[in-house]
């Protein structure tokens, strides 16, 4: 079952491994046929998930230009992988374990808690 996030947020109790909602998705469009989309934990589960999909011949002719970013935070020499990738039988790394909150504000905002620090990441995009 897929869940769509519309002007809402997910807190860590819905995102952590015990009950994270990998099915919840977000979608941002630019009105010209381009879009960005993924799951709220940053796990691209569909072939059209990506951070920058442009339309070369609107409204069709879509080209995925940026699939995702692999973020790593280093605090006092300790590496914290914030990304998540799905492989047969495994998800690695499991960056969602640091994800405290996801919200559409109005664009996707990811808040991570790492080594006692809160880090915010926004998918900021305009007209592509």
């Amino acid at each position: 079952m897929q869940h769509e996030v519309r002007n809402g947020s997910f807190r860590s109790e819905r995102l952590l491994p015990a009950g994270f909602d990998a099915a919840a998705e977000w979608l941002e469009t630019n009105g010209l046929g381009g879009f960005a989309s993924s799951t709220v934990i940053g796990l691209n589960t569909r072939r059209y998930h990506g951070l920058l999909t442009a339309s070369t011949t609107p409204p069709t002719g879509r080209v995925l230009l940026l699939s995702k970013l692999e973020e790593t935070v280093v605090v006092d020499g300790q590496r914290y992988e914030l990304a998540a990738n799905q492989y047969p039988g495994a998800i690695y790394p499991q960056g969602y374990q640091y994800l405290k909150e996801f919200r559409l504000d109005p664009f996707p905002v990811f808040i991570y808690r790492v080594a006692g620090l809160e880090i915010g990441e926004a998918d900021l995009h305009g007209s592509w």
Side-chain angles (χ1 to χ4, degrees):
M1 173 170 45
Q2 294 294 337
H3 305 281
E4 185 178 330
V5 178
R6 291 186 184 187
N7 300 324
S9 66
F10 282 75
R11 300 268 182 202
S12 59
E13 57 272 7
R14 297 238 358 242
L15 297 170
L16 295 176
F20 72 87
D21 192 348
E25 298 179 315
W26 58 268
L27 170 68
E28 289 291 330
T29 64
N30 69 354
L32 301 172
F35 65 90
S37 69
S38 188
T39 63
V40 299
I41 64 168
L43 182 66
N44 289 354
T45 57
R46 299 177 182 270
R47 72 181 166 129
Y48 58 78
H49 278 162
L51 298 179
L52 178 57
T53 300
S55 179
T56 56
T57 54
T60 61
R62 293 187 178 97
V63 177
L64 179 61
L65 299 174
L66 179 62
S67 175
K68 65 181 305 174
L69 299 173
E70 297 284 327
E71 305 94 348
T72 302
V73 175
V74 180
V75 179
D76 294 329
Q78 176 70 36
R79 295 174 59 90
Y80 299 90
E81 305 289 339
L82 303 182
N85 298 298
Q86 188 169 10
Y87 301 100
I91 295 177
Y92 182 82
Q94 296 179 350
Y96 56 81
Q97 66 185 328
Y98 304 113
L99 189 58
K100 177 186 172 196
E101 179 181 356
F102 169 87
R103 68 178 182 270
L104 293 174
D105 191 17
F107 299 108
V109 175
F110 300 83
I111 306 295
Y112 295 91
R113 178 168 287 145
V114 175
L117 303 171
E118 274 193 18
I119 301 165
E121 172 189 331
D123 176 19
L124 299 174
H125 59 278
S127 295
W128 319 306

